[in-house]
Amino acid sequence: MKIVADLQIHSKYSRATSAKMELESLSAYAKLKGIQVIGTGDFTHPDWFNELKNKLVPAESGLFVYKNDPDFGSEKATRFMLTAETSHIYSKTGKTRRVHILIWAPSLEAVEKINTRLSWVGNLKSDGRPIIGMDSKELAKIVLESNPDCMVIPAHAWTPWFSVFGSMSGFDSLEQCFEELTPQIYAIETGLSSDSAMNWRLSQLDKVALVSNSDSHSLVRIGREANVFELEGLSYQNIIKAVKNSSPAKLLSGQGDPKAKLAYTIEFYPEEGKYHYDGHRDCGISFAPSQTKEHQGLCPKCGKPLTIGVLSRVEQLADRPEGYQPEKFVPFKNLVPLDELIAESLGLVTKGKQVYALYNQLCQQFGGEVNILTDLEIEEIKSIGQPILAEAIKRVREDKVIKKAGYDGEYGKISVFEESEREDLKTQKSLF
């Protein structure tokens, strides 16, 4: 069975997060997106954890269903997996480290053990993603001692300010961060500003799988990155087995399991992420790595250090050339969110009512956003009077897009139509 899973989101208890990120809406919106399994996010927050205990009921092993889901008792009901993200700020080897960690847990009992231990060192009620002054390795110990089936995954592994490889406060290797526990780190999360191809350039990452999740703070951004599994049976254990067996090294050695495998990941175009290029947002400076070197890492307008983005950081640590592919690997698909494609195709504002009216109509008619972007026949989209949108989706699938890279906290922009095409498109739109 094919399963689409987004296993890193935030709840309404996280800062800068929509109040609509609660179980009823998450359950409904996952269906609109075409996502079968979604992370709960934020299980460390006491109030959110109480909601999880009171409003979720067990489904398959290690998975849960919202008790008021209209599809409760059927395969159509959205499955939830217990997940959280923690923020670690601490000193190690003479440097301040800031690392975000994603935690997956198979049971409420395991979560209670984790939360109890973490409450001794941090205020878990302060934020859905709590700041804990604890070494990442110590966090891994606590999580794995609570239940050996838990997973510890470096979140958005390349983000400059808060990640395991971040240019501002990270490490140069997983071993530097997790020391003797490194063999228990089975995956890293690529994040919005990198994709699998960038990570393949580091031979040290051959031993870990590359997973992709939305890190969404709002309903509309759920599934903007996700994982597509092929499982013989749906369960937490099978999802974990698929991840553990999906590193290039495991696949090359033949240890992959066809009954539980990570088929592919759904990725942003990394240029659309907020930290792909280097730059200085206040001065409007966006640099490719070569330009940063020319300016010795300094902003040419104000003279302050540039924020070194993901592409430059990958270049620093890579021991393989651009374009390298492992002999065996999990493929990935770069996609553009459907609402963005609708807005560009029809010349509308992305967050406008017309865009979401068409978005909802298409998702309900064609089995969700993921299916529309990846598998739906282009002719079907044309057949309902959307030839321009059909062309946009076709171009994304063929990687025929125009990229403007994000930098220093500014999202990039992926376009599918040249400016010279705009008037022709407007004419076509009026005809239909």
Side-chain angles (χ1 to χ4, degrees), residues 29-44:
Y29 228 85
K31 295 173 190 175
L32 192 66
K33 293 282 186 173
I35 294 168
Q36 288 76 42
V37 182
I38 190 168
T40 61
D42 298 352
F43 68 51
T44 55

Side-chain angles (χ1 to χ4, degrees), residues 152-263:
V152 175
I153 298 173
H156 43 74
W158 294 94
T159 302
W161 299 102
F162 295 98
S163 72
V164 68
F165 293 129
S167 61
M168 302 303 175
S169 57
F171 298 88
D172 289 346
S173 69
L174 293 177
E175 285 77 11
Q176 290 178 3
C177 182
F178 295 101
E179 301 178 39
E180 73 275 9
L181 292 185
T182 303
Q184 302 301 310
I185 307 301
Y186 292 99
I188 65 169
E189 187 180 62
T190 58
L192 300 183
S193 295
S194 90
D195 60 16
S196 298
M198 295 169 65
N199 287 266
W200 291 337
R201 296 186 59 193
L202 280 73
S203 61
Q204 64 165 297
L205 298 182
D206 286 352
K207 295 179 181 179
V208 296
L210 304 174
V211 297
S212 189
N213 302 291
S214 71
D215 196 10
S216 182
H217 289 60
S218 65
L219 294 171
V220 72
R221 290 296 168 239
I222 292 168
R224 60 183 174 180
E225 294 202 333
N227 310 280
V228 180
F229 295 98
E230 290 181 6
L231 308 175
E232 189 173 64
L234 182 58
S235 69
Y236 173 92
Q237 287 74 18
N238 278 348
I239 290 173
I240 297 310
K241 184 191 297 183
V243 171
K244 287 184 175 181
N245 289 329
S246 292
S247 70
K250 287 284 183 70
L251 294 173
L252 185 61
S253 67
Q255 295 183 51
D257 186 348
K259 296 180 180 179
K261 72 175 185 177
L262 180 55

Side-chain angles (χ1 to χ4, degrees), residues 53-223:
K53 289 191 292 185
N54 293 328
K55 296 180 180 180
L56 295 181
V57 295
E60 298 82 3
S61 178
L63 301 178
F64 300 82
V65 175
Y66 174 56
K67 66 180 182 181
N68 293 326
D69 190 320
D71 295 311
F72 185 88
S74 78
E75 291 183 357
K76 294 181 180 179
T78 301
R79 269 52 175 179
F80 285 87
M81 197 168 98
L82 298 169
T83 65
E85 183 185 2
T86 51
S87 177
H88 299 263
I89 303 177
Y90 58 101
S91 179
K92 190 165 188 173
T93 60
K95 183 178 178 181
T96 299
R97 312 291 181 171
R98 297 181 179 89
V99 180
H100 285 187
I101 303 292
L102 179 59
I103 307 169
W104 297 349
S107 67
L108 294 169
E109 293 75 18
V111 170
E112 287 183 319
K113 291 179 182 179
I114 294 168
N115 289 353
T116 298
R117 294 283 298 276
L118 294 184
S119 69
W120 298 346
V121 293
N123 180 6
L124 300 187
K125 199 167 185 176
S126 65
D127 189 7
R129 181 181 60 203
I131 297 174
I132 301 173
M134 174 188 287
D135 190 301
S136 302
K137 183 185 76 170
E138 298 306 314
L139 180 279
K141 282 184 181 178
I142 289 172
V143 171
L144 295 173
E145 285 172 0
S146 74
N147 189 306
D149 284 339
C150 286
M151 290 282 279
V152 175
I153 298 173
H156 43 74
W158 294 94
T159 302
W161 299 102
F162 295 98
S163 72
V164 68
F165 293 129
S167 61
M168 302 303 175
S169 57
F171 298 88
D172 289 346
S173 69
L174 293 177
E175 285 77 11
Q176 290 178 3
C177 182
F178 295 101
E179 301 178 39
E180 73 275 9
L181 292 185
T182 303
Q184 302 301 310
I185 307 301
Y186 292 99
I188 65 169
E189 187 180 62
T190 58
L192 300 183
S193 295
S194 90
D195 60 16
S196 298
M198 295 169 65
N199 287 266
W200 291 337
R201 296 186 59 193
L202 280 73
S203 61
Q204 64 165 297
L205 298 182
D206 286 352
K207 295 179 181 179
V208 296
L210 304 174
V211 297
S212 189
N213 302 291
S214 71
D215 196 10
S216 182
H217 289 60
S218 65
L219 294 171
V220 72
R221 290 296 168 239
I222 292 168

